[in-house]
Amino acid sequence: MAIKTAVARSFFPRRGIAVVLLAGSFASATAYAQQAPNAAPTAATDQTTPAPPASSDQTPTAVMSNSAPKRGRTRKTAEDKKDEKVVQSKDTVKSEKARKAQMKINPLGKVKSDQPDKQLYDKALIAINKGRFEVARLDLQTLLSTYPDSEYQMRSKLAFADSWYREGGSAALAQAETEYHDFIIFFPNAPEAAEAQMRIGDIYFKQMDRPDRDYAKAVHAQEEYRTMLTQYPDSSLIPEAKQHLREVQEVMAQRESQIGEFYGTHENWAAAIARYQTVVDTYPLYSHIDQTLIGLGDAYASMSRYIRTLKLPEDARGRLLKNYDDQAVAAYSRVVTQYAASPHVEDARDRLEAMNVPIPEPTPEQLAASQALEDSRQTYNLANRAKGLLFRGPDTVQSARIGDPAMADPKATLAPTVSHRSEEAFKNALDPKTAAATSAGAATPAAADAAAANTAAGNTPAAAGAPMSLQDIPAGDAAPNSAVTGTSFTATPTGVAPVSSGGGASVGVTILSPGATTSTPAAPPPAGSVPANYGLKTVGPTNAGDLPPVEKAAEAPDAVNDVAGQKTPQGQQPVFDKNGKQKKSKAEFDKGEESSSTHKKKKGLKKINPF
């Protein structure tokens, strides 16, 4: 032991302590190996050696059997499985993702072939991945034109379109769309046709702008994604296309909702209701659908408050209030039931409680569906907010991740339609009997006769309770007290109807044209009838004849020279050329007195002569 330690120290002077320990361990192991044969008893020795007699003061020991234990299956716990699970490193995961992405771009990349068409195809894809799109297109064009029967024709044409798509820019994306359409025409039944249609939708999806900007790209993207979902329902790209379609419809719903809010701030309730109703009917997966429904209910409630300010009969006011209040309650109740897990459901409940209306309770199915829809939405984080600040694209963070997007747009609600419905509600509230008769299609004989008379005369009577329009005014030769609601017209000699006050009979105001006269007495009214002007004198001038012609002004006298008898000096007489135009005279220039740039300069002593 000492010899080994000394030798070790001689060879390793700097690490003496460690070598000593190693040497000691080696010596202990050697001694144990030498003693092991003597210490290990054999089976024969155990069988022949008698066991010592057991005494009362000895502790009993356990007897070990020489037979091997039975081997049985042991159930692995969750911790054992977790320990045995192989955890891939970050580099392995990254390389696997890169391999899958490469296989998606080039599924034939792993095919080993020395054919020239395969080499051109691989070379073009490598150039596309490195951003050398012009070089890639040249190689692909060579492959397409040189090897028309190659098995890489279809993939090469798709890669040619992909090179334009990956290059980006408005011109390149337009060319990519053309190439994708050509691919679908040439290979309509290929599985890659769905990929080409998906890329066409992605072209417009990448060019979408914010909701308050031009939305033409969003409309095109929606059409292309719907085409993809309809024509290729078995494609593996269906989930991705559905999600893109949800995001597109999120942007379009934001646009319509913001326009409705704008009209609401300007108290244009008909336009606001039209926009809100369009969002509710077309985009049920909109992230702020609860606010949209509340805005719709608020618009109807505002119209109800306006009705309360009008001086209307009590029964008519009650019918109008019931009409608008019921629509507001329906909008609020839809938030409480169908979107029970939305953030603004309490606002809808408060409005229903303020209207003294029982608050409905959602069913378990409605509550579960609403909760699942809200859980599918993403939340804002630092990356999303930075992206919204740096890029001009739309905000689609909170778009839904589940649910089927709308595949067809219902008929949009327009503001004129809402206005017409409001007018009909007013008419029905003010005259419910007429409304009931109109809805039943029955008309009284007197009304039918009056309508027939007006139709024969070329006049269309105004509806009851509606303001008169220009086409409701009869012609000048119409009889007095014509079948116009509450207004009488009197024929005048000039064929122009008098101005009416809008209700009752006319006040006798007559519009006269130049040259008209009222000297001709009007025919007396028939016996038992009320005079047209109620005995009032017609307003107008008594001498309405033509004015005398305007006299022509006399000609101005010729100009006379005040100094008579003097002749104009010869130098002041005007000089005329051969065409009769007066010539302009110029004063003679004395070169000795002054100099000018247009004349010759002074010479000799004249240069120093100031005079």
Side-chain angles (χ1 to χ4, degrees):
M1 180 68 181
I3 296 173
K4 292 180 181 179
T5 305
V7 171
R9 287 184 176 179
S10 63
F11 281 102
F12 305 100
R14 296 184 179 179
R15 300 181 181 178
I17 299 175
V19 171
V20 168
L21 295 175
L22 290 174
S25 301
F26 179 76
S28 301
T30 305
Y32 178 77
Q34 293 176 357
Q35 296 175 2
N38 301 327
T42 59
T45 305
D46 293 341
Q47 292 179 359
T48 57
T49 304
S55 60
S56 59
D57 57 347
Q58 293 182 354
T59 304
T61 58
V63 179
M64 303 297 295
S65 175
N66 294 330
S67 60
K70 297 182 179 180
R71 296 182 179 179
R73 293 183 179 180
T74 58
R75 182 176 298 178
K76 295 182 179 180
T77 61
E79 295 181 356
D80 296 339
K81 293 181 179 179
K82 186 176 181 181
D83 295 338
E84 294 178 0
K85 184 178 179 181
V86 178
V87 180
Q88 296 179 351
S89 63
K90 293 183 179 179
D91 296 338
T92 305
V93 174
K94 186 176 180 180
S95 61
E96 185 66 18
K97 288 183 179 180
R99 186 187 67 81
K100 290 182 179 180
Q102 181 65 24
M103 288 297 296
K104 185 177 181 181
I105 298 174
N106 184 12
L108 304 178
K110 297 298 182 181
V111 178
K112 296 181 179 180
S113 176
D114 295 334
Q115 298 297 326
D117 54 348
K118 176 66 168 60
Q119 293 179 1
L120 280 174
Y121 180 72
D122 292 341
K123 181 183 176 182
L125 290 184
I126 292 173
I128 289 175
N129 293 333
K130 292 184 177 181
R132 298 181 293 186
F133 303 108
E134 292 291 341
V135 177
R137 284 193 285 268
L138 287 175
D139 293 337
L140 292 172
Q141 193 66 37
T142 303
L143 191 155
L144 293 172
S145 58
T146 309
Y147 305 97
D149 298 331
S150 174
E151 59 181 342
Y152 299 98
Q153 276 278 328
M154 181 178 64
R155 298 298 308 182
S156 299
K157 193 165 184 62
L158 185 61
F160 190 84
D162 289 339
S163 66
W164 287 110
Y165 175 78
R166 294 185 63 179
E167 183 176 351
S170 58
L173 291 177
Q175 186 65 30
E177 182 184 359
T178 304
E179 295 296 335
Y180 283 129
H181 279 298
D182 292 343
F183 181 86
I184 295 174
I185 292 173
F186 281 105
F187 308 99
N189 298 325
E192 289 79 4
E195 182 181 352
Q197 183 63 41
M198 181 73 180
R199 290 292 176 268
I200 296 175
D202 291 342
I203 288 172
Y204 291 107
F205 184 81
K206 290 174 64 176
Q207 300 181 19
M208 282 195 313
D209 211 334
R210 296 181 183 274
D212 56 345
R213 303 298 178 184
D214 185 15
Y215 68 103
K217 301 298 182 182
V219 174
H220 285 294
Q222 180 178 238
E223 294 175 358
E224 298 299 338
Y225 285 135
R226 284 176 173 175
T227 302
M228 193 266 175
L229 294 174
T230 304
Q231 295 184 358
Y232 309 99
D234 299 331
S235 175
S236 60
L237 299 174
I238 290 295
E240 184 180 357
K242 283 187 176 181
Q243 182 56 37
H244 284 188
L245 183 56
R246 293 189 200 101
E247 294 178 4
V248 171
Q249 293 182 352
E250 176 81 9
V251 177
M252 300 186 70
Q254 287 180 14
R255 174 183 174 273
E256 293 290 331
S257 181
Q258 289 177 3
I259 295 175
E261 292 177 4
F262 170 79
Y263 284 125
T265 56
H266 288 70
E267 297 184 358
N268 190 347
W269 305 119
I273 289 172
R275 296 290 181 169
Y276 286 141
Q277 192 67 45
T278 301
V279 174
V280 171
D281 296 339
T282 311
Y283 310 110
L285 300 178
Y286 177 43
S287 59
H288 300 287
I289 188 66
D290 52 345
Q291 292 181 339
T292 303
L293 284 168
I294 291 175
L296 179 63
D298 291 345
Y300 282 119
S302 300
M303 296 184 70
S304 177
R305 287 194 297 269
Y306 173 72
I307 294 300
R308 288 183 173 87
T309 62
L310 299 179
K311 295 181 179 180
L312 297 174
E314 291 299 330
D315 54 346
R317 179 181 298 178
R319 283 188 288 268
L320 287 174
L321 292 178
K322 185 178 185 304
N323 179 27
Y324 292 120
D325 289 342
D326 289 347
Q327 297 183 69
V329 169
Y332 297 145
S333 300
R334 187 171 179 181
V335 178
V336 175
T337 55
Q338 296 186 12
Y339 303 97
S342 59
H344 298 274
V345 65
E346 294 299 329
D347 297 338
R349 289 178 175 273
D350 293 341
R351 284 167 170 78
L352 290 174
E353 185 177 358
M355 297 176 68
N356 296 325
V357 176
I359 301 175
E361 292 296 334
T363 61
E365 293 79 8
Q366 291 176 340
L367 185 59
S370 178
Q371 187 65 42
L373 182 62
E374 295 299 327
D375 292 342
S376 68
R377 307 186 192 277
Q378 293 182 356
T379 57
Y380 286 97
N381 52 26
L382 184 60
N384 295 332
R385 297 186 184 278
K387 184 179 179 180
L389 293 175
L390 296 177
F391 300 98
R392 67 172 189 175
D395 181 12
T396 59
V397 175
Q398 290 189 334
S399 58
R401 297 295 188 272
I402 61 173
D404 294 331
M407 296 299 296
D409 293 337
K411 186 178 180 181
T413 305
L414 304 178
T417 305
V418 178
S419 300
H420 293 329
R421 287 189 306 199
S422 299
E423 292 177 1
E424 291 296 330
F426 266 87
K427 293 177 184 179
N428 297 342
L430 293 175
D431 194 359
K433 295 181 180 179
T434 305
T438 304
S439 61
T444 58
D449 296 341
N454 290 329
T455 303
N459 304 325
T460 304
M468 292 185 60
S469 57
L470 182 61
Q471 59 267 21
D472 297 332
I473 302 176
D477 54 351
N481 300 325
S482 59
V484 180
T485 57
T487 307
S488 63
F489 295 90
T490 305
T492 60
T494 59
V496 180
V499 178
S500 175
S501 61
S506 63
V507 296
V509 180
T510 306
I511 302 175
L512 298 176
S513 60
T517 179
T518 57
S519 58
T520 305
S529 63
V530 180
N533 296 334
Y534 292 95
L536 299 177
K537 183 178 179 180
T538 304
V539 178
T542 55
N543 52 347
D546 296 336
L547 297 175
V550 180
E551 297 181 356
K552 185 179 180 180
E555 297 181 359
D558 296 336
V560 180
N561 193 355
D562 295 337
V563 184
Q566 284 188 349
K567 293 183 179 181
T568 305
Q570 186 67 23
Q572 297 180 3
Q573 291 181 357
V575 181
F576 299 93
D577 57 4
K578 60 182 180 179
N579 296 328
K581 293 183 179 180
Q582 183 179 358
K583 293 182 178 181
K584 295 183 178 180
S585 60
K586 295 183 179 179
E588 186 178 356
F589 183 77
D590 188 3
K591 298 178 182 178
E593 295 182 356
E594 56 183 332
S595 64
S596 175
S597 60
T598 57
H599 301 278
K600 293 182 179 180
K601 297 182 179 181
K602 294 180 181 182
K603 294 181 181 181
L605 296 176
K606 293 183 179 181
K607 291 183 179 180
I608 60 175
N609 184 10
F611 304 103

